[in-house]
Structure formats: structure tokens, C-alpha cells
Amino acid sequence: MFMVPGVVTEHIKTGKLRAVAVTAATRSDVLPDVPTVNSVVTGYEATTWFGIGAPKNTPSEIVDKLNKEINAAVADPKIKAQLTDLGGTSLTLSPGEFGKLIADNTEKWGKVIRAANIKPE
């Protein structure tokens, strides 16, 4: 999920702030006239997402039930509209797809951390 805080979005829409670019790979539905950084720096993408996890040994039946209910909530038109108003995009993923998202992001940002020689303080 990519999100531009609602207050910021309103300031951009009213002209109080000027958005230069969004960091998602695609343009924002809320700010469709704002280009992506990716249009200038090929391959650039930096987004924020939120998800819900469960302990490692949670039975698959419980994980599947939680996934079904969470996806239903995120797909609810009222919740989806609120997320869109905030500049968010809702994702309804399976547990496997969510695990892949986590793994892909861990690998991506791990490379950045190693390339920049970032160390914990």
C-alpha cells in the first residue's frame, strides 16, 4: 500500500504544496498528474505498506481465516474509499503473496543497506 497523508494530498490539490513526484512505480490515483520518480530514474520505487502478521507456528486454518476476513475488510467499499482518500491503494493478498512481498522487500532493502554500508547504531 502506498500512502500520501490526506492532509498533504489536500494541500497539493489546493496548490498550497507542489508535488514533484511520487515514489511508487505507478502514478497515484489520487494525484494522477504527478509523475513518478521512476519516469526519470528507471527502476526507482520506494513505497510504504502495512500488513498484519501472525506468529510463525499459527495453524494454517487460522491464517487462512484471518486472511479472508482482513481481505474482505480491505475490499469493503467504505474502507477502500477511505484508503483512496488518504492516497492509499489496497492490496488483497494471499498469505503466500504477502510472504513474497516481505521477502522481496527484505532482499531489495538489504541490497541498499549493504551497498550504502549502513550499520546499526
Side-chain angles (χ1 to χ4, degrees), residues 39-77:
S39 64
V40 178
V41 181
T42 304
Y44 185 95
E45 179 182 12
T47 57
T48 301
W49 52 266
F50 302 90
I52 298 174
K56 184 176 182 176
N57 295 321
T58 302
S60 61
E61 304 81 36
I62 293 174
V63 171
D64 291 341
K65 174 72 171 164
L66 287 168
N67 180 253
K68 178 182 173 188
E69 297 300 328
I70 292 165
N71 282 343
V74 171
D76 178 272

Side-chain angles (χ1 to χ4, degrees), residues 3-117:
M3 194 170 288
V4 175
V7 173
V8 173
T9 303
E10 284 308 309
H11 287 313
I12 294 168
K13 288 180 176 180
T14 61
K16 291 179 181 178
L17 287 175
R18 185 175 139 242
V20 177
V22 296
T23 60
T26 59
R27 289 181 182 233
S28 166
D29 290 341
V30 176
L31 302 169
D33 296 331
V34 178
T36 64
V37 174
N38 185 37
S39 64
V40 178
V41 181
T42 304
Y44 185 95
E45 179 182 12
T47 57
T48 301
W49 52 266
F50 302 90
I52 298 174
K56 184 176 182 176
N57 295 321
T58 302
S60 61
E61 304 81 36
I62 293 174
V63 171
D64 291 341
K65 174 72 171 164
L66 287 168
N67 180 253
K68 178 182 173 188
E69 297 300 328
I70 292 165
N71 282 343
V74 171
D76 178 272
K78 286 183 181 180
I79 293 174
K80 199 168 192 168
Q82 288 177 327
L83 289 172
T84 299
D85 287 346
L86 292 171
T89 302
S90 58
L91 300 174
T92 51
L93 304 176
S94 70
E97 291 167 331
F98 184 52
K100 184 174 179 345
L101 176 71
I102 293 169
D104 290 351
N105 273 259
T106 300
E107 180 181 344
K108 173 184 176 176
W109 294 111
K111 286 179 184 178
V112 171
I113 290 165
R114 287 187 296 278
N117 198 30

